[in-house]
Amino acid sequence: MTGADDRCAAGDACLDVDVALAFVDGTLAPGRRADVEHRIDVCARCRAVVAAAARADTSSQPTISARRAWRRAKSQPSASDLAPGAQLGRYVIERPLGAGGMGVVHLARDPELRRAVVIKLVRPDAFTGEDRDDLEHRLRREAQAMAQLSHPNVVQIFDIGHHGDRVFLAMEFVSGPTLDSWLIERARSADDILAMFRQAGAGLAAAHRAGLVHRDFKPANVLVTGDGVAKVTDFGLSRGIHPGQVPGRETLALPRASGIHTVLTHVDAVVGTPAYMAPEQADGRAVDARSDQYAFAVALVDALVGQNPMKRTLDVTERTRVTAALEAAKLGPRARAAIVRALEPDPAQRFATLDALLAELAPAHQVRWWPIAGGVALCGVAIALWFVTRTEAAPACVPDAPKQWTADARTRLVAAFAAMPPPPGTPDALGLPRPFAGWTGAAIAGELDRAVTTLGAAEVARCQHQPTVDDACLAHRERALGETIAALPGALDAPWPLVRGLDRCDAAPVATTTSRRELRETIAREPDASRAIARAEQLAEQARTAGDDALAGDALEVAATRAVATHDMVAAERLLRALAATGERAGDDAVRARALLQLLEVARWNGEHAAAVRDDDTLASLLARHGNAARDVLPIALQEAATFTDVGDAARALAAWDRAIAAAQALAAADAELVARTGHALAHDVLRFDREAARRELAAALGTSKASAPIRAEALVVAADLALDADDAAATKAYLADAHALDPSRASGVRDRIRLARLRALAGDPDGALDDLVKLRATLTDLASPILVDVARAEILRRAGRLADANDVLTPSYYAIRPFAPGQATDGPRLALADRLAVAREHCTLAVARQTPMGCQYELVTGLHPHAPQKVRFALGRLDQARQQKLDMLAVRELESVLETYREVDAPALAIADVHWQLAQNAKLYDERARREHAIAARAIYEAAHRDAEVAAIDQLLGGGVAPAGSATGSADPWATAP
């Protein structure tokens, strides 16, 4: 193999699309054909490019098809084309590059500036009537706008002129492939793709800042130079909209084909490509820069997952699948969240600008500018001070502003914010400072840095007799700055009104700290939660109208907290989304983070995995932006761990518990560490079906913890639950006694009284336990708690064999809280998804025990995460149902579902072996090869665990015999190893 071939096989010199098309079309030179054939033999990537060219048609490979049309047009030039050497203005034509419906494209030479240019010559019959009369005016106006846009990532327009009755444009010549060709020429890493798209995005964003909207962004409209620089081309500047025809739809509104857009469009391209169109563009609604943002995100997803835009296997509207695919492509949470947000159907939910999206796609090691802006500003003032004090002509020109705002004052202020306690009325069981308060402190300090810099410059200008503001204004600004710096330590709860308006010459805005306190007190005093929430929303709207985003955010946050506390999750989500948007509009990341943190709790309550993933990725991006400090990581990790545990995402939950433990240890926060270690231990039982591992881990955590009494009591109660579920009465009794000794108030709580009743039944006194629960139920006034009591009563009755009584007790509660599917509203009592599923599981278990298996409704959990362990528990119920009804095929399907999840969550090996063994014994439904594979997999695990009886039974089956029906192995029950 030659050196060139070695490079090709390594992906450094693979065939490009043009060569592949020429090879397929038979127009490649004979000598070159031999080289291409050799490359096809040795290089998989070259084979892929040639295969794509060979099967290209207008429906499946639009880019390659356009290239083929371009090549054919080039090989058959029109009689009206300019011949090589012809003069066009000052440009000399060298050769045609292509032709299309609007005109001909030529490569030309500019003799004056000695550079190559691209000439796009518009056909004289491209427009008729009024359009033709208006064409030159529009082209000239739009070309002038484009010419003003000088950016390294935009193809520049140099000139516009006439050739007879035809208009032409002279443009920058880019020698290189389009971005779509660049993507398929060889394998590209996610980092390389992101870097190239960031370049293209920078050009697109520059156009937006200049007031231009592309309207047809796609990889085919981005050129890549030989130096690896992306340049966006083919901008569309028209704002008119008219209905146009698109294959596959009767009508589809597209941007008006006018002005420069029609001239710069690739051959055979559609004005506005449906594969990349934002929903508002496809529907004929108004489009703006956010529509380009959507197209940019669609193209980026296609590139990262390697899919053809005309034959997508991943629908970009399915945000959960997009997130999973991007995660598989090794994208970090910050970039994933940004891309998914840019794909929002509602333009208002996307980023306000493409620049904001690009900032989120920047590499994690890049430092955001604003945290260091203060240091830069102070350095600037210091340099100015040095200069003016060294100038003999103005020895006294020293600004006063920096004297009030020293580096020490800045450090003290940021530290004061970082040490803020939670707001009044917020439960703070872990004794931690207010999350994300340090972010607000840094942002406030940055505002003061800017104010000091501008005021110092004005003071020096006045001293040098070059005043930019009058003396009265300057004096007012100096006084306002001093008052603000002095007042901030006492106004940490409401700092923004103090620091905004420091450049104004009239009275500075008065801080609204008092009205904020009144707001909280007013809402807290209102006994009716709905009225309190409505009043807070009204105040938020009034504040937003007045331009006070800080007060609006405060009102929304108070209302949302009240909604979460009263379990009105519909109102809570609405308020929290509005709060997050307010924080983003005000540039306050701390507000956004607090909103997203509570949205995770809403997702946990409702069991909405997709929403949890989306909000969690956004939180991770904010954390990365602010340095991933342990004090900020901890509250997020605790919340995301609890959320993903409840929605059944084992991988995310366990990783979050690990982050919470590490952050708590870094902060020496003993209470938080025990909470995190308790959650991590419980996750072994809830998510991995390994109760014994959970009990061991929690016992170890309790043995070494120095946490406070209430936190230790909570961990002991979790240990009691694990022991109770394992039917270990002695351990349950000991754990509950220790918990109540540490925190006596717990013993009177509803859930602990339910635990004590279940323990009494387990100890052999079910009648006494039932009496306790009946008495407890009679004292309850809320709607939700009686349901939890009835679930415990039904379980005790079922275990005692009183199935009809159990059904009578449970049925009213079961129907009171339907439906159970995640995210679905119910008119009944407000219960978290975990509690609603507990009702459903008990109802299912009871139905199977009563031999009425149709009552076990597996469909209740269909909205859960695809691998949620809750589905395993329902599948096990369905398995018993299938056995009762002798539905062998259904039983196999449920076992396969269980096995898939067991593998996904790394369940105990013996649990996996039991499922393999049961599948192996379904000889009627499995071919011999599959049956043996299951048997061998089970045997390996049993042998390692020294389970000799199972090994012998499997050997008998593999030797041709069949294990006896009803033997221990023949009737192995996953309930024996799974909770």
Side-chain angles (χ1 to χ4, degrees):
M1 185 182 291
T2 66
D5 292 329
D6 288 333
R7 290 195 304 273
C8 177
D12 294 330
C14 291
L15 297 173
D16 65 23
V17 173
D18 286 333
V19 173
L21 284 169
F23 176 79
V24 171
D25 290 341
T27 58
L28 196 65
R32 186 75 173 99
R33 287 187 64 84
D35 176 62
V36 171
E37 289 169 352
H38 182 66
R39 287 173 184 272
I40 293 172
D41 290 336
V42 300
C43 178
R45 295 190 186 104
C46 289
R47 285 195 297 274
V49 173
V50 173
R55 65 173 178 265
D57 57 59
T58 56
S59 63
S60 64
Q61 297 283 346
T63 301
I64 298 176
S65 180
R67 286 292 190 92
R68 174 169 284 130
W70 172 79
R71 290 177 58 82
R72 289 171 180 168
K74 183 174 71 172
S75 66
Q76 298 174 351
S78 167
S80 62
D81 289 346
L82 294 171
Q87 195 82 14
L88 191 73
R90 74 169 191 260
Y91 307 105
V92 179
I93 299 298
E94 291 195 345
R95 58 183 171 88
L97 293 176
M102 297 308 303
V104 186
V105 182
H106 295 269
L107 178 64
R109 184 176 70 256
D110 183 345
E112 293 185 16
L113 298 180
R114 298 183 179 180
R115 65 183 177 189
V117 295
V118 171
I119 299 293
K120 297 203 172 185
L121 187 63
V122 183
R123 286 173 44 195
D125 58 344
F127 295 86
T128 59
E130 185 176 298
D131 280 339
R132 182 172 181 179
D133 295 337
D134 191 45
L135 173 62
E136 183 182 351
H137 174 71
R138 286 184 286 109
L139 281 178
R140 186 173 297 279
R141 182 185 67 242
E142 295 167 357
Q144 288 170 348
M146 283 291 295
Q148 296 301 312
L149 179 58
S150 179
H151 192 277
N153 298 118
V154 176
V155 173
Q156 191 164 11
I157 294 180
F158 298 139
D159 195 5
I160 184 170
H162 287 93
H163 179 68
D165 60 350
R166 302 174 71 176
V167 178
F168 72 84
L169 289 154
M171 303 175 62
E172 176 185 3
F173 171 66
V174 178
S175 177
T178 57
L179 180 54
D180 54 355
S181 295
W182 181 87
L183 287 167
I184 67 171
E185 281 174 354
R186 66 193 64 158
R188 308 286 183 181
S189 69
D191 287 342
D192 288 344
I193 292 170
L194 273 176
M196 189 60 73
F197 269 82
R198 282 196 300 269
Q199 289 189 58
L204 196 55
H208 292 167
R209 291 192 296 273
L212 310 177
V213 180
H214 195 293
R215 300 170 184 272
D216 193 21
F217 180 87
K218 56 188 175 183
N221 283 343
V222 179
L223 301 174
V224 182
T225 70
D227 297 330
V229 177
K231 289 180 175 286
V232 184
T233 186
D234 292 0
F235 279 84
L237 311 181
S238 168
R239 293 193 174 273
I241 300 292
H242 83 116
Q245 296 295 322
V246 173
R249 296 188 60 171
E250 291 183 6
T251 60
L252 182 62
L254 299 174
R256 177 179 167 81
S258 66
I260 201 171
H261 184 54
T262 56
V263 179
L264 303 188
T265 302
H266 274 311
V267 177
D268 290 350
V270 179
V271 180
T273 306
Y276 300 97
M277 275 187 185
E280 65 273 16
Q281 185 173 353
D283 293 340
R285 290 178 277 135
V287 299
D288 57 21
R290 293 170 299 181
S291 306
D292 282 352
Q293 181 186 141
Y294 183 94
F296 176 87
V298 171
L300 181 52
V301 169
D302 285 346
L304 289 167
V305 304
Q307 69 178 353
N308 185 317
M310 290 296 110
K311 291 185 177 180
R312 289 192 175 109
T313 56
L314 176 66
D315 186 344
V316 293
T317 64
E318 297 177 2
R319 291 183 294 183
T320 302
R321 291 190 61 214
V322 170
T323 299
L326 295 176
E327 192 170 7
K330 309 300 183 186
L331 247 65
R334 181 180 179 186
R336 292 198 304 268
I339 294 171
V340 170
R341 179 177 174 186
L343 292 170
E344 285 284 353
D346 180 3
Q349 299 301 317
R350 300 172 203 153
F351 291 94
T353 65
L354 187 58
D355 284 313
L357 168 59
L358 295 176
E360 296 301 299
L361 296 178
H365 65 271
Q366 290 189 3
V367 181
R368 198 172 184 225
W369 69 268
W370 68 260
I372 62 172
V376 173
L378 289 176
C379 288
V381 172
I383 292 170
L385 283 172
W386 177 87
F387 181 82
V388 297
T389 54
R390 298 277 297 186
T391 304
E392 296 181 4
C397 290
V398 178
D400 290 327
K403 297 176 183 177
Q404 304 179 72
W405 182 236
T406 63
D408 286 343
R410 190 183 201 279
T411 301
R412 287 195 301 272
L413 182 66
V414 173
F417 273 100
M420 286 177 66
T426 302
D428 179 30
L430 300 182
L432 299 173
R434 185 179 304 192
F436 326 123
W439 302 2
T440 302
I444 293 294
E447 286 290 313
L448 288 174
D449 293 340
R450 184 192 58 76
V452 168
T453 300
T454 57
L455 182 56
E459 289 174 339
V460 171
R462 177 184 62 178
C463 177
Q464 296 177 342
H465 307 294
Q466 299 174 352
T468 56
V469 294
D470 61 46
D471 289 348
C473 175
L474 202 56
H476 170 78
R477 287 170 57 185
E478 290 168 346
R479 184 170 59 255
L481 177 64
E483 291 172 353
T484 297
I485 293 172
L488 271 172
L492 300 183
D493 257 344
W496 287 106
L498 285 174
V499 300
R500 287 180 173 145
L502 289 176
D503 292 340
R504 294 169 53 176
C505 295
D506 54 354
V510 178
T512 53
T513 307
T514 302
S515 64
R516 291 171 199 282
R517 292 197 186 108
E518 291 175 352
L519 167 69
R520 293 192 186 102
E521 292 170 0
T522 299
I523 295 176
R525 284 196 302 266
E526 173 58 62
D528 185 272
S530 297
R531 283 201 297 267
I533 291 169
R535 176 59 178 153
E537 286 190 279
Q538 181 184 23
L539 291 173
E541 183 59 33
Q542 292 171 355
R544 189 161 46 239
T545 302
D548 190 346
D549 280 331
L551 180 58
D554 204 67
L556 289 168
E557 190 163 8
V558 171
T561 301
R562 182 72 178 268
V564 171
T566 56
H567 307 313
D568 185 355
M569 295 305 177
V570 174
E573 182 166 13
R574 181 184 70 250
L575 292 162
L576 290 169
R577 296 288 176 203
L579 178 61
T582 300
E584 184 173 19
R585 186 169 58 247
D588 194 335
D589 283 350
V591 168
R592 286 185 69 196
R594 293 199 299 271
L596 291 163
L597 198 61
Q598 290 201 77
L599 281 167
L600 279 181
E601 176 61 25
V602 172
R604 176 191 183 189
W605 180 274
N606 292 331
E608 294 174 331
H609 179 263
V613 169
R614 183 173 68 251
D615 293 331
D616 185 46
D617 279 353
T618 304
L619 269 172
S621 72
L622 292 177
L623 270 178
R625 179 184 300 175
H626 293 280
N628 285 302
R631 55 162 290 143
D632 298 323
V633 169
L634 182 56
I636 290 178
L638 286 172
Q639 182 61 68
E640 65 186 353
T643 297
F644 287 114
T645 297
D646 275 7
V647 301
D649 190 333
R652 281 180 177 263
L654 290 166
W657 287 123
D658 287 337
R659 286 196 297 276
I661 293 170
Q665 290 173 341
L667 295 169
D671 281 4
E673 182 180 355
L674 182 56
V675 168
R677 292 183 68 184
T678 299
H680 191 280
L682 185 60
H684 279 289
D685 176 49
V686 174
L687 299 175
R688 285 185 167 168
F689 308 95
D690 195 344
R691 185 169 294 140
E692 290 310 309
R695 296 182 69 181
R696 288 194 302 271
E697 184 176 343
L698 184 51
L702 283 164
T704 59
S705 175
K706 298 179 180 178
S708 62
I711 300 301
R712 285 184 60 82
E714 185 64 34
L716 285 164
V717 165
V718 173
D721 282 340
L722 291 170
L724 191 58
D725 289 339
D727 293 338
D728 187 343
T732 304
K733 182 178 180 179
Y735 282 130
L736 285 176
D738 289 346
H740 295 159
L742 286 171
D743 186 0
S745 65
R746 292 196 60 98
S748 60
V750 173
R751 291 183 185 265
D752 274 37
R753 290 179 67 180
I754 292 173
R755 291 183 178 99
L756 288 168
R758 291 180 62 202
L759 173 61
R760 186 172 182 178
L762 183 61
D765 186 8
D767 291 334
L770 290 169
D771 286 342
D772 290 343
L773 290 174
V774 170
K775 292 175 183 177
L776 171 61
R777 196 182 194 284
T779 66
L780 301 175
T781 57
D782 66 301
L783 296 176
S785 297
I787 293 176
L788 303 179
V789 173
D790 287 346
V791 173
R793 291 171 63 200
E795 178 194 1
I796 293 171
L797 288 166
R798 173 175 55 79
R799 284 173 172 257
R802 297 166 57 182
L803 302 183
D805 291 342
N807 187 62
D808 291 342
V809 167
L810 187 62
T811 298
S813 294
Y814 175 76
Y815 284 102
I817 61 173
R818 295 185 70 191
F820 297 92
Q824 292 186 4
T826 174
D827 295 331
R830 293 168 178 165
L831 254 67
L833 178 73
D835 289 328
R836 286 190 281 150
L837 287 172
V839 178
R841 282 200 307 274
E842 179 58 34
H843 190 268
C844 178
T845 305
L846 182 58
V848 173
R850 296 179 65 222
Q851 298 189 359
T852 56
M854 294 307 294
C856 180
Q857 297 184 31
Y858 180 68
E859 295 75 15
L860 298 176
V861 293
T862 53
L864 287 172
H865 179 237
H867 299 294
Q870 292 283 8
K871 288 193 172 182
V872 168
R873 293 179 168 86
F874 275 79
L876 292 169
R878 294 260 291 188
L879 179 62
D880 282 345
Q881 169 187 338
R883 286 171 174 162
Q884 284 186 7
Q885 295 180 301
K886 302 187 183 304
L887 301 174
D888 292 337
M889 184 63 77
L890 177 61
V892 167
R893 188 163 66 245
E894 299 303 338
L895 283 169
E896 289 175 336
S897 172
V898 170
L899 181 60
E900 179 186 6
T901 302
Y902 275 4
R903 287 169 169 166
E904 177 79 15
V905 301
D906 193 21
L910 286 175
I912 293 174
D914 287 344
V915 179
H916 274 303
W917 182 214
Q918 290 186 76
L919 285 169
Q921 294 173 87
N922 280 276
K924 291 185 295 184
L925 301 176
Y926 267 87
D927 60 55
E928 184 61 25
R929 177 178 177 181
R931 190 161 66 100
R932 291 180 66 83
E933 287 175 351
H934 282 296
I936 291 169
R939 189 188 188 286
I941 298 172
Y942 284 140
E943 186 175 31
H946 305 291
R947 297 275 289 266
D948 296 336
E950 285 84 352
V951 171
I954 293 174
D955 285 343
Q956 181 183 3
L957 181 143
L958 292 174
V962 180
S967 67
T969 55
S971 60
D973 185 355
W975 283 107
T977 52

